[in-house]
Amino acid sequence: MPAAELDPSEIKKDFPIFDKPINGKRLVYLDSAATSQKPRQVVDAIVNYYYTFNANIHRGIYKISEQATEEYERSKEQVARFVNAGKGENIIYVRNTTEALNTVALTFGNKNVSEGDHILISDMEHHSNIVPWQLLAKRKSATLDFAPLKDNAFIDMSSYEKLLQNNPKIVALTHVSNVLGTINDIKKIASMAKKAGATVVVDGAQSVPHMPVDVSDIGCDFFAFSAHKMLGPSGIGVLYGKKELLETTEPLFGGGDMISSVRRSGSEWNEIPWKFEAGTPNIEGAIGLGAAIKYLEGIGMQRIRNHEKSITRYAMESISSIPGAEIYGPKLGMTSERGGVLSFGLNGVHPHDVSQIFDSEGIAIRAGHHCAMPLVTEVLRKGSVSRMSFYIYNDESDVDAAVSAIKKVKSIFHIT
Ligand code: 7TS
């Protein structure tokens, strides 16, 4: 039975930010790919921690420290269940997706990549899934290959197969593009890469907040995402790693909590995942992320995916009928391979001007290269693009507001 549609007007009631007018208008927030808004339930969970059981974890033999430890560890179990990662021991808390990917490059990458090796990424990556590999390739005199795209939206699989013949040590790929919205066939690609002998790293920053994700089914070795894009607080992100890889990889940081013993002659590491979490962690972040997952599970990830698919289709239909507007990424009719991200251009008008006019209408969109410069400047051959992105609190009236704003831009710039 298909899941019942979600009701953004009901959901919005949980998000106090929508109560306050922006530029005298209601806030139309179309920038959730950058960061999502936060429901009261998440903020309350954080406030409740500080007001009622604030203490450091893993050390106090007293009630509130035990409670803080329990809540911290419970949130890991929630994350593990949410993405089907087995137990909480496979979940490492970091600051964000960027830190998760850098951690893999600096630990697993440093140990396993040598001179002459290849690392394979793609032309649709965010800088956080490019630069750590560039740095690693430079440190090790390895080669970083970029898989090209077909029709500016999908990975060119015949080129990909050829690049896999180099037997890359690491294959890193985004699950969903933050500019094109493309949903990669990540399970198939992970399986191809594994057959070629690669360790597979997936950037799930734009998938986990928006659709059911099963890292075990994908079959990847590492998987990264950020809490702040999925209703949670900023400053906490997740690195999932397969148990055997985490156990055999050296830690990145040394300090408190990550050791089992320290002597003058050397130290022994704590068990996973704590081996990778030196120092006092982001306790409030973990608790907030737990509350965010509870909220998302209360709605249901498949319902969220269905909602975004339908609103994206509506937006594509509305915008593609406007003369002078160009949409990037998978075409209409391919919404099953497209997330709720819609980048567009407007006949010569600079995206910063588009964004400013949108802002005057209370509509938040993003303009720029979206931290994906190789894609925007070298593949799409644009200086920048405008982007709207959708989430659970958006509905068709938000798209209608965006369409009116596009018409306003056109009239200001005298575009017919
Ligand atoms: N990977 C992808 C696909 C992303 O979209 C982003 C952030 C990141 C990694 C990095 O996440 P962070 O939490 O470490 O910053 N993307 C965007 C964006 O599209 N606009 O602002 C941030």
Side-chain angles (χ1 to χ4, degrees):
M1 203 173 78
E5 282 179 25
L6 57 82
D7 181 356
S9 62
E10 273 304 307
I11 285 173
K12 259 187 173 160
K13 292 179 187 161
D14 290 330
F15 291 75
I17 200 162
F18 293 113
D19 297 342
K20 187 173 153 277
I22 303 288
N23 292 330
K25 309 259 166 66
R26 78 179 175 99
L27 170 62
V28 175
Y29 188 72
L30 296 176
D31 197 20
S32 293
T35 198
S36 75
Q37 294 304 338
K38 320 299 171 198
R40 191 174 276 117
Q41 289 84 338
V42 167
V43 180
D44 284 352
I46 295 168
V47 170
N48 183 48
Y49 158 65
Y50 279 126
Y51 282 175
T52 66
F53 61 100
N54 172 53
N56 212 329
I57 59 167
H58 296 156
R59 46 201 95 186
I61 317 277
Y62 54 88
K63 180 79 190 135
I64 56 173
S65 173
E66 281 165 6
Q67 191 181 349
T69 304
E70 255 169 47
E71 297 273 332
Y72 181 85
E73 297 301 339
R74 190 183 357 254
S75 110
K76 280 208 173 162
E77 298 298 330
Q78 279 179 277
V79 169
R81 199 187 55 236
F82 190 59
V83 295
N84 196 25
K87 293 197 207 148
E89 64 183 358
N90 303 328
I91 300 297
I92 298 162
Y93 280 152
V94 289
R95 281 188 304 143
N96 46 38
T97 306
T98 305
E99 189 171 292
L101 296 168
N102 275 279
T103 300
V104 178
L106 287 163
T107 57
F108 180 85
N110 271 2
K111 185 176 164 201
N112 294 288
V113 174
S114 317
E115 188 174 345
D117 283 344
H118 285 256
I119 301 164
L120 175 58
I121 60 171
S122 87
D123 265 346
M124 64 165 88
E125 303 306 319
H126 184 277
H127 295 165
S128 64
N129 204 23
I130 302 174
V131 186
W133 309 119
Q134 284 177 331
L135 289 167
L136 174 62
K138 200 167 165 190
R139 281 197 298 279
K140 299 288 179 174
S141 301
T143 303
L144 181 62
D145 299 317
F146 288 73
L149 308 186
K150 224 172 56 184
D151 308 324
N152 289 346
F154 295 101
I155 288 175
D156 178 344
M157 290 312 287
S158 67
S159 303
Y160 206 77
E161 275 172 21
K162 285 200 192 89
L163 288 164
L164 283 176
Q165 286 168 11
N166 293 327
N167 298 116
K169 280 281 164 64
I170 294 176
V171 162
L173 185 68
T174 192
H175 193 174
V176 175
S177 160
N178 68 318
V179 175
L180 303 169
T182 309
I183 303 174
N184 284 314
D185 189 345
I186 200 77
K187 186 176 172 178
K188 179 175 158 196
I189 293 172
S191 146
M192 288 165 59
K194 296 291 294 175
K195 278 198 192 105
T199 292
V200 178
V201 184
V202 177
D203 172 355
Q206 298 293 350
S207 61
V208 172
H210 302 284
M211 60 186 68
V213 169
D214 183 327
V215 296
S216 304
D217 183 54
I218 290 169
C220 55
D221 297 292
F222 293 103
F223 191 99
F225 56 100
S226 298
H228 71 93
K229 293 186 199 288
M230 51 188 288
L231 312 180
S234 49
I236 187 154
V238 174
L239 172 62
Y240 154 79
K242 275 191 182 152
K243 186 177 176 197
E244 57 275 19
L245 283 174
L246 295 180
E247 278 177 342
T248 51
T249 302
E250 287 288 289
L252 179 58
F253 296 117
D257 232 25
M258 53 75 68
I259 45 81
S260 62
S261 82
V262 178
R263 295 178 202 283
R264 287 194 184 121
S265 54
S267 303
E268 282 167 22
W269 312 143
N270 199 344
E271 291 169 7
I272 59 166
W274 305 295
K275 179 172 97 175
F276 290 97
E277 295 184 357
T280 300
N282 184 349
I283 304 165
E284 64 156 79
I287 289 167
L289 173 56
I293 289 177
K294 189 170 168 203
Y295 190 94
L296 289 169
E297 284 179 335
I299 299 173
M301 294 311 294
Q302 191 55 52
R303 277 173 88 201
I304 293 174
R305 171 70 189 127
N306 294 348
H307 171 68
E308 290 182 18
K309 215 156 120 178
S310 123
I311 192 166
T312 304
R313 191 182 309 118
Y314 179 73
M316 289 181 79
E317 281 163 2
S318 309
I319 293 167
S320 59
S321 67
I322 302 174
E326 184 188 5
I327 296 174
Y328 308 113
K331 301 274 172 272
L332 246 179
M334 290 183 148
T335 39
S336 34
E337 288 152 296
R338 193 190 236 284
V341 169
L342 207 163
S343 293
F344 64 100
L346 213 48
N347 215 359
V349 185
H350 196 284
H352 287 159
D353 293 327
V354 175
S355 182
Q356 214 158 26
I357 293 166
F358 270 60
D359 181 47
S360 70
E361 297 295 314
I363 309 171
I365 60 166
R366 185 154 180 218
H369 52 63
H370 307 281
C371 296
M373 277 182 89
L375 171 62
V376 172
T377 61
E378 295 175 52
V379 178
L380 300 180
R381 302 202 163 275
K382 305 281 170 194
S384 71
V385 298
S386 302
R387 180 189 71 186
M388 45 183 98
S389 51
F390 308 113
Y391 210 8
I392 49 176
Y393 32 68
N394 296 118
D395 61 16
E396 293 186 355
S397 75
D398 296 339
V399 174
D400 295 341
V403 167
S404 302
I406 291 177
K407 289 181 178 157
K408 185 173 170 188
V409 175
K410 286 185 65 179
S411 101
I412 289 172
F413 283 87
H414 306 292
I415 296 168
T416 47

